[in-house]
């Protein structure tokens, strides 16, 4: 099915971006929609297009974005990572707990390393114990969540020391550190996927693991690394959230994994593996966050926001699938 | 590529004798989960004087009957090669619709039918979105969950909708003894048995397995693949709705968040039971063994008064162990 389509297709199209945008307006529907919503909100409200709101928007997008970027890499490699929400919470709890005995920076690092290890464990289950990725990460979601509950005894752990909260509350040039970190991670991930041998191995593993194997690539090892990256970025997001709030709590990341998948799909990335670009994920994340922020500013109640978000996800993905079917980049 | 392997792979040596063949066939039919559940029950019975008391067992059956219904519906969707994350929203939706209607003076029967209809309609929409718009069921049912959840919040304002109706009280009556099980347990049991028979003993069941095994091959063979897929979502939605209504009858109230995490519990039960997440194999019968494992584990924590904070970790580790063993046995088989 998709594997055959991918095998004959070049992985990266080499034409320039503006040209491609003219060629396949439909393929870039989510981008145009985002621009339209952006302009509409700027006109409809006096509060949307203010620096303060946009910076706040960027900050909330960073939190989800960090997670979604990691998950994108796992998806491109042909797997699934549902445990990122649990890793988000676990990393925050570990960091907050460590902050009571060690210095803030060490505690934050401990949280991130926890995520890397959790990702490695996921990778080992999928690549070496050969457990289906959805199952493996569903189980580790429960396990990591359970570990977070055990560490915190179910309470929120306070970590109000200045060297801990500095990362989450600080700004550089008026922009939060979280936003800078997200921007850096997104650029790094783009470079990693597009311009490095590892990136090509990720695409090959996702589009056709058997052929990749003939070419001397070990898809199992590639996915293992992809899971480690995903665990690390989810933990980074969790640690930033813990640092912003000055506390870590089990259960905080619940649902983030599904929202990340929604963002990836809304941006127009395939969730079937073998294809995907980071900027689409970023667009998807920004799209969901702009929608939420816009409705908030328009005074629309949370329940209706949730309903519209659900509809928009279906609409966006449906239109994207249609466009791809027409262009032949997706075959059923 | 899963399709290819599904076509090419013969059924594990049915003609083989030998211990290994027998054991793998036992596992293939979901015997592993049943063994684990029986073992857990035996250990609990020996180590805790309270476990075997009628009150404890009946309470366990009462509280897990609705979950078993949801998990049975999920089994069908997964056998068919899809996921249904929207059960977490359908469960409270059916309860809230029924409660609101009864509260508005509509007769109980109409209220219950409307609640079930809500589940069926949501399932139908799921199915149509997946088959017509070609959206991955994971994303489609997740979006549906958000949509329905938002709608319920708008209707209820986040409050509990309570009912006080004699007929609903009767429906939600607790089990008195093994011979006088509550109506909700009977309903769940009858529905689940009907589902097991449907899948194992009818041509429809065979068609469902075929679609889950290989959509392409089923289409070539002339099966109405999309109709079957849509029906599975309708079935899952309906069962989740029945579960939601039974739960409403039991606790005399419904709340938006009452289904929180239910989708993952149901998938966990399906997997623990031994149904392959790749589709084409398994069924609701063995899922009940999976539900039993989850129920017994939770009960063990209560009986031994182990801190609640360890419960989630233990459930996760048992789940991990079960799927790791399953993956090993399967890979040895092929």
């Amino acid at each position: 099915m998709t594997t055959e389509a991918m095998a004959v297709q070049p992985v990266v199209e080499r034409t320039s971006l503006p040209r491609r945008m003219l060629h396949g307006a439909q393929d870039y529907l989510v981008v145009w929609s985002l621009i339209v919503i952006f302009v509409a909100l700027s006109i409809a409200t006096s509060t949307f297009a203010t620096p303060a709101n946009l910076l706040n928007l960027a900050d909330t997008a960073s939190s989800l974005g960090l997670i979604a970027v990691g998950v994108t890499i796992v998806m491109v490699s042909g797997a699934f990572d549902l445990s990122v929400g649990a890793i988000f919470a676990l990393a925050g709890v570990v960091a907050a707990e460590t902050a009571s005995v060690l210095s803030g920076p060490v505690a934050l690092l401990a949280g991130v390393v926890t995520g890397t290890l959790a990702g490695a464990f996921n990778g080992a289950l999928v690549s070496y114990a050969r457990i289906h990725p959805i199952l493996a990460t569903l189980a580790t979601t429960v396990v990591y969540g359970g570990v977070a509950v055990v560490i915190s005894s179910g309470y929120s752990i306070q970590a109000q020391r200045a060297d801990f909260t500095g990362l989450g509350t600080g700004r550089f040039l008026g922009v939060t550190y979280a936003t800078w970190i997200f921007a850096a991670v997104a650029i790094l991930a783009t470079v990693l996927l597009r311009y490095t041998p590892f990136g090509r191995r990720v695409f090959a593993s996702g589009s056709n693991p058997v052929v990749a194997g003939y070419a001397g690539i070990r898809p199992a090892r590639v996915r293992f690394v992809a899971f480690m990256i995903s665990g690390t970025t989810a933990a980074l997001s969790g640690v930033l959230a813990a640092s912003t709030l000055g506390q870590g709590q089990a259960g905080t990341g619940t649902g983030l994994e599904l929202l990340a998948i929604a963002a990836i799909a809304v941006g127009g990335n395939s969730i079937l593996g073998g294809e995907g670009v980071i900027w689409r994920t970023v667009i998807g994340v920004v799209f969901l966050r702009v929608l939420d922020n816009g409705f908030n500013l328009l005074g629309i109640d949370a329940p209706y926001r949730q309903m519209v978000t659900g509809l928009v996800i279906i609409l966006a993905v449906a239109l994207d699938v249609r466009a791809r079917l027409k262009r032949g980049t997706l075959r059923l | 590529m899963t399709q290819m392997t599904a076509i090419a792979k013969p059924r594990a040596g049915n003609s083989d004798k030998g211990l290994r063949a027998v054991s793998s066939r036992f596992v293939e039919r979901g015997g592993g989960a049943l063994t684990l559940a029986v073992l857990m029950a035996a250990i609990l019975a020996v180590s805790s004087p309270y476990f075997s008391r009628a009150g404890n067992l009946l309470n366990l059956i009462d509280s897990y009957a609705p979950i078993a219904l949801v998990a049975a519906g999920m089994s069908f969707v997964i056998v068919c090669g899809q996921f249904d994350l929207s059960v977490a929203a359908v469960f409270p939706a059916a309860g809230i619709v029924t409660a609101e209607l009864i509260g508005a003076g509509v007769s109980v029967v109409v209220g219950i039918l409307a609640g079930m209809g809500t589940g069926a309609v949501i399932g139908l929409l799921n199915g149509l979105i997946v088959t017509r718009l070609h959206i991955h069921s994971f994303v489609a049912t997740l979006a549906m969950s958000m949509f329905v959840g938002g709608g319920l919040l708008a209707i209820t304002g986040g409050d509990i909708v309570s009912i006080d109706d004699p007929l609903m009280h009767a429906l939600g009556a607790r089990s008195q003894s093994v011979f006088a099980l509550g109506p909700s347990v009977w309903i769940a049991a009858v529905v689940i048995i009907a589902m097991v028979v449907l899948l194992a003993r009818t041509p429809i069941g065979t068609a469902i397995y075929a679609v889950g095994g290989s959509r392409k091959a089923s289409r070539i063979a002339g099966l109405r693949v999309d109709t079957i897929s849509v029906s599975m979502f309708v079935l899952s939605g309906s069962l989740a709705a029945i579960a939601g209504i039974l739960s409403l009858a039991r606790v005399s109230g419904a709340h938006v968040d009452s289904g929180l995490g239910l989708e993952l519990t149901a998938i966990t039960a399906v997997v623990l039971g031994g149904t392959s997440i790749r589709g084409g194999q398994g069924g609701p019968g063995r899922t009940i063994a999976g539900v039993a494992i989850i129920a017994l584990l939770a009960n063990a924590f209560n009986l031994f008064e182990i801190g609640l904070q360890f419960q989630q970790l233990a459930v996760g580790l048992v789940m991990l162990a079960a799927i790791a063993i399953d993956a090993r046995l399967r890979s040895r088989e092929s």
Side-chain angles (χ1 to χ4, degrees):
Chain A
M1 12 140 225
T2 44
T3 51
E4 287 156 22
M6 284 311 300
V8 290
Q9 224 188 9
V11 174
V12 182
E13 292 170 57
R14 293 285 177 196
T15 37
S16 69
L17 185 73
R19 208 172 151 185
R20 267 184 286 154
M21 291 184 95
L22 283 175
H23 265 294
Q26 266 214 350
D27 212 12
Y28 292 85
L29 200 71
V30 61
V31 182
W32 298 123
S33 315
L34 182 60
I35 294 171
V36 168
I37 293 174
F38 209 91
V39 172
L41 282 172
S42 306
I43 297 168
T45 72
S46 56
T47 38
F48 179 76
T50 57
N53 185 55
L54 293 181
L55 287 175
N56 171 41
L57 192 61
D59 191 54
T60 54
S62 308
S63 185
L64 178 62
L66 276 170
I67 295 175
V69 163
V71 174
T72 305
I73 296 175
V74 172
M75 276 192 180
V76 172
S77 81
F80 242 95
D81 190 352
L82 296 179
S83 71
V84 284
I87 293 177
F88 174 94
L90 178 62
V93 166
V94 167
E97 186 73 37
T98 314
S100 63
V101 280
L102 298 171
S103 76
V106 175
L108 294 168
L109 191 65
V112 176
V113 171
T114 306
T116 312
L117 292 176
F121 187 59
N122 283 335
L125 289 177
V126 171
S127 292
Y128 302 114
R130 293 170 181 276
I131 300 175
H132 192 284
I134 290 180
L135 283 190
T137 55
L138 193 65
T140 55
T141 296
V142 184
V143 172
Y144 299 155
V147 173
V149 172
V150 169
I151 292 175
S152 64
S153 304
Y155 297 106
S156 81
I157 301 170
Q158 299 301 313
Q160 299 290 356
R161 51 194 295 174
D163 62 348
F164 184 81
T165 56
L167 184 70
T169 52
R171 286 166 187 268
F172 175 67
L173 300 177
V175 179
T176 59
Y177 289 146
T179 311
W180 287 112
I181 292 173
F182 171 51
V185 167
I187 291 168
L188 268 176
T190 305
V191 170
L192 185 74
L193 275 187
R194 285 188 81 144
Y195 303 109
T196 67
F198 175 75
R200 280 188 279 281
R201 287 202 283 270
V202 172
F203 280 103
S205 306
S207 59
N208 196 330
V210 178
V211 172
Y214 293 149
I217 295 166
R218 287 184 228 177
R221 187 181 285 184
V222 172
R223 282 188 195 135
F224 179 79
V225 176
F227 272 107
M228 276 176 71
I229 294 172
S230 166
T232 308
T233 55
L236 204 52
S237 180
V239 162
L240 281 165
S243 169
T244 308
L245 298 169
Q247 64 176 38
Q249 191 172 3
T252 45
T254 313
L256 277 178
E257 67 282 3
L258 299 180
L259 210 55
I261 293 171
I264 290 167
V266 165
N269 278 332
S270 164
I271 65 171
L272 300 171
E275 56 173 297
V277 281
I278 298 297
W279 70 261
R280 278 196 180 276
T281 296
V282 174
I283 291 277
V285 168
V286 172
F287 192 94
L288 289 184
R289 286 312 189 207
V290 164
L291 212 59
D292 208 46
N293 180 260
F295 284 142
N296 196 6
L297 295 178
L298 289 171
I300 298 171
D301 288 339
Y304 299 107
R305 255 147 63 196
Q306 199 182 326
M307 289 178 78
V308 173
T309 308
L311 280 183
V312 164
I313 290 172
I314 291 176
L315 194 71
V317 180
L319 289 171
D320 186 68
V321 167
R322 251 177 71 97
R324 278 156 186 272
L325 282 173
K326 253 185 198 164
R327 287 192 70 197
T329 52
L330 176 76
R331 283 174 211 172
L332 296 172
Chain B
M1 72 249 137
T2 45
Q3 302 180 346
M4 302 291 188
T5 47
I7 303 167
K9 201 177 116 185
R11 285 185 61 80
N14 275 337
S15 56
D16 287 359
K17 298 249 156 62
L19 191 63
R20 181 168 284 183
V22 171
S23 76
S24 81
R25 214 179 312 156
F26 183 64
V27 170
E28 194 188 318
R29 289 180 185 168
L34 192 62
T35 312
L36 183 62
V38 170
L39 210 66
M40 284 172 70
I43 292 171
L44 282 177
V46 171
S47 55
S48 165
Y50 302 104
F51 175 74
S52 341
R53 287 194 182 169
N56 180 52
L57 292 175
L58 292 175
N59 187 31
L60 212 54
I61 292 172
D62 277 347
S63 35
Y64 279 89
I67 296 171
L69 269 176
V70 176
M74 184 71 80
S75 315
F76 275 89
V77 179
I78 289 181
V79 164
C80 206
Q82 312 273 9
F83 285 97
D84 185 359
L85 300 181
S86 73
V87 291
V90 171
F91 182 85
I96 287 169
V97 166
T98 306
E100 290 279 2
L101 285 177
I102 292 174
V106 176
S107 84
V108 174
V109 176
V110 175
I112 289 176
L113 286 177
M116 287 175 59
T118 307
V121 167
I122 295 172
L124 179 68
L125 289 175
N126 281 333
L128 291 176
I129 291 169
V130 169
T131 56
R132 292 293 146 87
L133 303 180
H134 308 294
I135 297 179
H136 194 288
S137 60
F138 214 88
V139 175
T141 55
L142 161 67
M144 182 57 79
S145 241
M146 293 174 84
F147 180 74
V148 173
L152 295 177
L153 260 179
I155 293 171
T156 63
D159 298 327
I160 295 176
V161 187
S162 27
I163 49 158
D164 187 20
D165 181 274
L167 213 63
M168 287 299 275
H169 278 308
L171 184 64
R174 288 167 188 282
S175 304
Q176 297 306 318
S177 75
V178 186
F179 306 103
L181 292 170
S184 60
V185 178
W186 280 115
I187 292 170
V190 167
V191 171
I192 290 169
I193 289 169
M195 291 301 125
V196 171
V197 172
L198 174 77
L199 194 56
R201 295 272 178 267
T202 68
I204 300 173
T206 313
I208 294 168
Y209 279 123
V211 171
S214 169
R215 309 182 80 74
K216 204 180 265 179
S218 306
R219 196 165 280 137
I220 292 166
L223 289 174
R224 274 180 283 181
V225 173
D226 284 353
T227 312
I228 291 169
S229 300
V230 172
S231 314
M232 292 309 99
F233 282 105
V234 174
L235 191 68
S236 167
S238 305
L239 292 196
I242 296 173
I245 294 165
L246 291 179
S247 164
L248 165 73
R250 244 169 65 78
V251 300
S252 298
H255 184 256
V256 194
D257 286 340
S258 61
L260 213 65
L262 189 60
E263 77 282 25
L264 296 184
T265 308
I267 295 175
T268 305
V270 172
V271 169
L272 279 176
T275 293
S276 167
I277 209 120
R278 294 171 202 273
Q281 173 267 329
R286 60 183 68 182
T287 296
I288 303 311
V291 175
I293 292 172
I294 294 173
L296 289 169
L297 207 59
N299 196 225
F301 278 88
N302 282 332
L303 292 174
F304 297 116
E305 292 176 351
I306 305 169
L308 268 178
Q309 72 265 31
F310 294 104
Q311 184 164 337
Q312 192 187 345
L313 182 58
V315 170
L317 289 176
V318 167
M319 187 180 170
L320 205 55
I323 59 177
I325 292 167
D326 187 58
R328 251 194 94 76
L329 288 171
R330 276 177 214 276
S331 69
R332 194 189 281 166
E333 217 173 73
S334 54

